[in-house]
């Protein structure tokens, strides 16, 4: 039976990179949102420039689920290279939309699918003479046909086209005509609508649609960043580029036109982190945007920043590794390499945003934390967050908020005779006072040492001062537990014997998976950790449950390893749920994996839960 669903299905566009399809695909998603229905979109693209397959997935969800679901209900198959794979991925009873200008053997189809053929190439060849125009308008004609079979609001698409080509009347007219050609052909030749429909709703609200990298870059602007040093590296490049765009608008002097920022595209990642640390030592709020390979190269400099206690922010947009790995696929595979970056005993602060909203919030917060703690802070994004657009609440900012520069001695402080020791712990929280270079002509100066020293920054290789300094750094790390964003907990009704811990982009599919499991009778308490070091509440959550599943997107269970190492947890209490093929983890994967594990851990309870769900 053909799938029938209103405002609850997944459409996947299969295209060729460089075919001009991206604009039309995005317009499809934006039209659904204009109709008041939430969407979750994902680009799946190769790491080359042109010619290889790309996919664009749009999940239409009237219930507001924003994570990847898994499966495809309607495949828009425009790439012969991936035809077999694309057709095989469609859900039973699903729909296949394709260009039928050329005959395709019957063996290439499936009997359980509804096939929708539109002669897009034939129509374009008839209507247009120029090859480039045929290619571009083919996408808009296809969009018009899709609007007809899904009962979409054509006027909403017309408005989007007018906005996109504002001031270019000829292009607006040409695109409107192409849209009408596709829509009219479908109405005249196809059964419209099909079993899948988009119906107007009011579920989007005031939410905005924005990429995570852009959100993080804007957070850096609001957080007071004035220096960005970076080296192009997928998938982090667009973060630095967005910061550049925002600075041109928001960081200039209107009267003089002077820039109040410095953005340096360096020769490599080593130079990038070196510039960031140098700027941080001089008192600027500075950051780099990078990914796993860049973090690998920055290790020695990160040890310097940790030991010399220099503020720095690193936006790590994680991708598949190791080595070159999968540059355009998502993972959460840099947790351990960032937590313990550099040789020797180091520990770094990590923030785990879930979406662009928290990417903005944590992006701004990271600079306060770096200054307060005088240490590197990592904002752990990933490709799923960074390079995809997401629906999120409008960003919030308090105009009365002041930058927290932490413990900084002023010239007046030094003139008053206050004792200044650059690495002196005066109040037991492990955080010393610092001065900015040039604060005082004779007092408060110090060397930035990557070697051992005493509390007054005087060089020494004696064991006692070294141990005191290393123990102070651990006290500072303990202090950081009260500064990082606290975990969030959702408790099952009546409580649960089993728990789940997750983080970052796993949040949206985890929320949906929890509901799926609840309907199956599996009750879970859920904690989302948002920062490292872990506060005591994480340890308490684990202690309160017989078993805790740790859901993450890497092979080696890196968050679980960190929980065991830092909290002394019995490894048997933490059960891994791992997904690391480079695609975003889905609600279906999580719910199935957890259900299977529950059946193995406690067969009697699983049987009881299943019977309860069926009753």
């Amino acid at each position: 039976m053909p799938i029938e669903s209103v405002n609850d299905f997944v459409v996947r566009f299969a295209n060729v990179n460089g075919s001009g399809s991206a604009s039309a695909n995005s317009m499809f998603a934006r039209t659904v949102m204009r109709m008041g229905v939430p969407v979750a979109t994902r680009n799946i693209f190769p790491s080359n420039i042109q010619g290889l397959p790309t996919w664009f997935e749009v999940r239409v969800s009237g219930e507001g689920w924003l994570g990847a679901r898994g499966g495809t209900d309607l495949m828009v198959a425009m790439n012969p290279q991936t035809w077999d794979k694309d057709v095989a991925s469609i859900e039973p009873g699903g729909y296949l939309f394709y260009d039928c200008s050329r005959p395709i053997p019957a063996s290439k189809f499936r009997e359980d699918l509804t096939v929708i053929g539109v002669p897009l190439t034939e129509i374009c060849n008839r209507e247009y003479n120029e090859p480039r125009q045929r290619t571009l308008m083919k996408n808009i004609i296809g969009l018009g046909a899709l609007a007809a079979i899904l009962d979409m609001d054509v006027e909403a698409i017309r408005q989007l086209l007018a906005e996109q080509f504002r001031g270019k009347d000829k292009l607006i007219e040409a695109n409107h005509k192409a849209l009408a050609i596709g829509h009219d052909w479908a109405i005249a030749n196809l059964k419209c609508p099909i079993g899948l429909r988009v119906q107007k709703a009011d579920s989007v609200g005031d939410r905005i649609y924005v990429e995570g990298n852009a959100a993080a870059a804007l957070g850096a602007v609001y957080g007071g960043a004035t220096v960005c040093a970076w080296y192009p590296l997928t998938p982090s490049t667009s973060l630095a580029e967005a910061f550049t765009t925002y600075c041109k608008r928001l960081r200039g002097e209107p009267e003089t036109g002077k820039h109040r920022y410095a953005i340096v595209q360096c020769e490599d990642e080593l130079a990038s982190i070196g510039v960031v640390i140098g700027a941080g030592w001089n008192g600027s709020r500075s950051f780099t945007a990078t990914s796993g390979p860049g973090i690998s190269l920055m290790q020695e400099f990160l040890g310097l920043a940790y030991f010399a206690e220099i503020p720095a922010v690193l936006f790590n947009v994680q991708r598949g590794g190791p080595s070159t790995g999968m540059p355009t696929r998502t993972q959460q595979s840099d947790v351990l390499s960032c937590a313990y970056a550099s040789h020797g005993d180091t520990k770094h602060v990590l923030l785990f945003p879930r979406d662009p909203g928290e990417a903005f919030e944590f992006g701004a917060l990271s600079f306060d934390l770096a200054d307060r703690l005088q240490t590197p802070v990592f904002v752990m994004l990933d490709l799923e967050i960074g390079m995809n657009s997401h629906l999120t609440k409008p960003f919030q900012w308090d105009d009365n908020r002041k930058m927290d520069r932490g413990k900084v001695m002023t010239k007046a402080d030094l003139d008053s005779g206050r004792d200044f020791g650059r690495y002196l712990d005066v109040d037991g929280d492990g955080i010393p006072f610092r001065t900015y270079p040039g604060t005082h002509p004779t007092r408060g100066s110090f060397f930035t040492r990557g070697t051992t020293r005493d509390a007054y920054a005087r060089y020494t290789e004696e064991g006692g001062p070294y141990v005191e300094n290393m123990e102070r750094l651990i006290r500072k790390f303990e202090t950081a537990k009260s500064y990082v964003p606290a975990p969030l907990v959702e408790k099952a009704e009546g409580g649960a014997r089993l728990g789940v811990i997750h983080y970052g982009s796993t949040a949206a599919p985890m929320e949906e998976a929890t509901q799926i499991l609840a309907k199956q009778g599996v009750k879970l308490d859920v904690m989302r950790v948002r920062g490292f070091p872990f506060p005591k509440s994480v340890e308490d959550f684990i202690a309160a449950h017989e078993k805790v599943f740790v859901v993450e997107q890497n092979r080696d269970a890196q968050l679980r390893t960190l929980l065991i190492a830092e909290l002394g947890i019995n490894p048997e209490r933490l059960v891994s749920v791992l997904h690391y093929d480079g695609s975003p983890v889905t609600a279906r994967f999580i719910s199935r994996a957890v259900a299977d594990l529950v059946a193995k851990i406690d067969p009697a309870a699983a049987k009881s839960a299943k019977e309860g769900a069926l009753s």
Side-chain angles (χ1 to χ4, degrees):
M1 291 291 293
I3 297 172
E4 294 191 4
S5 184
V6 176
N7 294 350
D8 183 16
F9 53 89
V10 175
V11 180
R12 179 171 281 210
F13 297 82
N15 302 108
V16 177
N17 201 18
S19 64
S21 59
S23 177
N25 296 346
S26 176
M27 197 162 294
F28 174 88
R30 291 176 181 273
T31 301
V32 177
M33 286 186 284
R34 286 282 178 97
M35 294 178 68
V37 183
V39 300
T41 61
R42 278 159 191 89
N43 273 302
I44 303 127
F45 55 97
S47 55
N48 77 331
I49 297 174
Q50 186 167 329
L52 289 183
T54 66
W55 293 268
F56 184 72
E57 181 178 291
V58 181
R59 181 180 184 183
V60 180
S61 176
E63 292 188 52
W65 298 120
L66 300 181
R69 187 199 72 182
T72 301
D73 301 308
L74 168 61
M75 176 64 72
V76 182
M78 296 297 172
N79 189 351
Q81 290 177 274
T82 61
W83 177 275
D84 292 341
K85 178 181 177 181
D86 294 332
V87 171
S89 70
I90 304 172
E91 297 282 287
Y95 300 82
L96 172 64
F97 180 104
Y98 79 108
D99 182 355
C100 65
S101 298
R102 293 181 179 179
I104 295 177
S107 61
K108 291 289 187 179
F109 296 93
R110 281 169 43 190
E111 292 184 359
D112 63 334
L113 301 180
T114 298
V115 178
I116 304 166
V118 180
L120 296 172
T121 301
E122 182 181 311
I123 293 171
C124 287
N125 290 343
R126 183 179 67 240
E127 297 288 335
Y128 304 103
N129 296 320
E130 297 180 9
R132 182 61 177 166
Q133 196 175 29
R134 287 173 174 173
T135 299
L136 295 177
M137 291 307 174
K138 179 179 177 180
N139 296 316
I140 301 302
I141 291 171
L143 179 60
L146 284 172
I149 66 172
L150 295 174
D151 199 21
M152 296 171 66
D153 185 353
V154 177
E155 185 56 36
I157 306 176
R158 288 173 56 85
Q159 290 175 4
L160 283 167
L161 287 166
E163 292 169 13
Q164 180 169 323
F165 299 109
R166 184 177 287 113
K168 301 176 181 178
D169 292 346
K170 287 186 178 180
L171 285 175
I172 294 173
E173 183 181 347
N175 278 273
H176 282 177
K177 179 183 176 182
L179 181 72
I181 289 171
H183 187 269
D184 293 348
W185 189 96
I187 292 294
N189 295 278
L190 301 173
K191 178 186 176 183
C192 298
I194 58 174
L196 306 178
R197 292 180 56 207
V198 183
Q199 190 175 79
K200 284 188 177 181
D202 189 20
S203 301
V204 173
D206 64 349
R207 284 181 289 182
I208 59 175
Y209 184 62
V210 62
E211 280 190 1
N213 280 352
L218 189 60
V221 173
Y222 274 75
T226 56
V227 175
C228 168
W230 65 292
Y231 179 78
L233 184 64
T234 302
S236 64
T237 297
S238 62
L239 198 159
E241 291 174 339
F243 182 75
T244 303
T245 300
Y246 290 133
C247 282
K248 288 178 180 177
R249 288 170 47 193
L250 303 171
R251 280 262 188 274
E253 288 184 351
E255 299 82 8
T256 65
K258 289 183 178 180
H259 293 166
R260 308 300 296 174
Y261 58 91
I263 300 171
V264 185
Q265 182 176 328
C266 297
E267 64 268 28
D268 54 34
E269 288 88 347
L270 273 171
S272 300
I273 192 63
V275 170
V276 168
I277 292 170
W281 179 77
N282 274 282
S284 294
R285 289 193 156 185
S286 56
F287 75 93
T288 189
T290 189
S291 190
I295 298 296
S296 296
L297 290 168
M298 296 175 184
Q299 296 284 306
E300 187 174 359
F301 260 136
L302 288 168
L304 171 65
Y306 172 80
F307 199 58
E309 298 179 68
I310 300 171
V313 170
L314 297 93
F315 290 95
N316 181 7
V317 190
Q318 298 167 91
R319 71 189 210 186
S323 187
T324 303
M326 297 189 291
T328 59
R329 298 293 184 265
T330 195
Q331 276 189 5
Q332 296 173 318
S333 54
D334 299 342
V335 175
L336 290 176
S337 65
C338 290
Y340 301 126
S342 196
H343 59 279
D345 294 321
T346 55
K347 291 186 180 183
H348 299 293
V349 175
L350 312 180
L351 305 181
F352 301 114
R354 62 165 288 165
D355 59 13
E358 285 193 345
F360 171 80
E361 178 188 346
F362 292 3
L365 173 65
S366 64
F367 293 93
D368 276 352
L369 295 183
D371 272 349
R372 287 180 204 162
L373 296 165
Q374 300 172 32
T375 197
V377 173
F378 293 78
V379 183
M380 303 294 287
L381 301 162
D382 58 31
L383 186 144
E384 163 68 1
I385 299 171
M387 292 197 72
N388 287 310
S389 294
H390 303 258
L391 274 175
T392 188
K393 293 179 180 178
F395 304 149
Q396 299 293 319
W397 189 258
D398 181 359
D399 288 334
N400 295 317
R401 176 174 168 177
K402 304 293 183 183
M403 287 190 294
D404 184 348
R405 301 309 302 263
K407 295 181 178 179
V408 180
M409 276 202 180
T410 65
K411 182 177 184 296
D413 293 330
L414 295 167
D415 280 334
S416 70
R418 287 180 61 181
D419 185 21
F420 175 70
R422 175 62 186 96
Y423 301 109
L424 184 66
D425 186 1
V426 298
D427 50 16
D429 66 358
I431 306 172
F433 276 86
R434 61 175 173 145
T435 59
Y436 299 135
T439 296
H440 198 285
T442 60
R443 299 173 182 170
S445 61
F446 60 93
F447 290 106
T448 301
R449 290 195 184 276
T451 53
T452 55
R453 70 286 169 123
D454 66 10
Y456 292 88
R458 295 176 299 216
Y459 176 75
T460 178
E461 292 186 17
E462 293 181 7
Y466 170 77
V467 170
E468 289 176 5
N469 189 65
M470 294 299 287
E471 289 180 349
R472 179 184 58 76
L473 288 170
I474 284 296
R475 288 199 299 275
K476 181 167 74 169
F477 201 66
E478 285 294 312
T479 299
K481 291 180 179 180
S482 63
Y483 285 169
V484 300
L488 299 180
V489 176
E490 290 287 338
K491 289 192 173 183
E493 187 176 349
R497 294 164 49 230
L498 300 174
V500 173
I501 289 177
H502 65 100
Y503 61 106
S505 63
T506 308
M510 185 71 246
E511 290 170 349
E512 185 178 2
T514 303
Q515 285 210 11
I516 294 171
L517 288 163
K519 291 177 181 177
Q520 296 173 359
V522 179
K523 295 171 62 176
L524 298 168
D525 292 334
V526 181
M527 169 177 275
R528 177 165 67 92
V529 294
R530 302 195 296 164
F532 173 74
F534 306 121
K536 190 175 183 301
S537 58
V538 177
E539 187 176 357
D540 293 341
F541 179 86
I542 296 170
H545 297 87
E546 294 177 15
K547 298 281 186 181
V548 174
F549 303 106
V550 184
V551 182
E552 49 187 319
Q553 299 178 69
N554 56 70
R555 184 195 70 180
D556 292 342
Q558 294 187 27
L559 183 69
R560 177 179 179 271
T561 300
L562 202 59
L563 289 165
I564 292 168
E566 293 294 322
L567 302 179
I569 304 298
N570 181 347
E572 292 184 0
R573 297 180 64 86
L574 300 179
V575 182
S576 289
V577 177
L578 304 175
H579 180 278
Y580 53 91
D581 67 0
S583 65
V585 66
T586 66
R588 287 181 177 181
F589 175 88
I590 296 172
S591 58
R592 288 169 182 169
V594 171
D596 288 345
L597 287 167
V598 169
K600 293 177 183 178
I601 292 167
D602 193 346
K607 181 181 178 182
S608 176
K610 186 175 182 180
E611 290 172 351
L614 294 173
S615 63

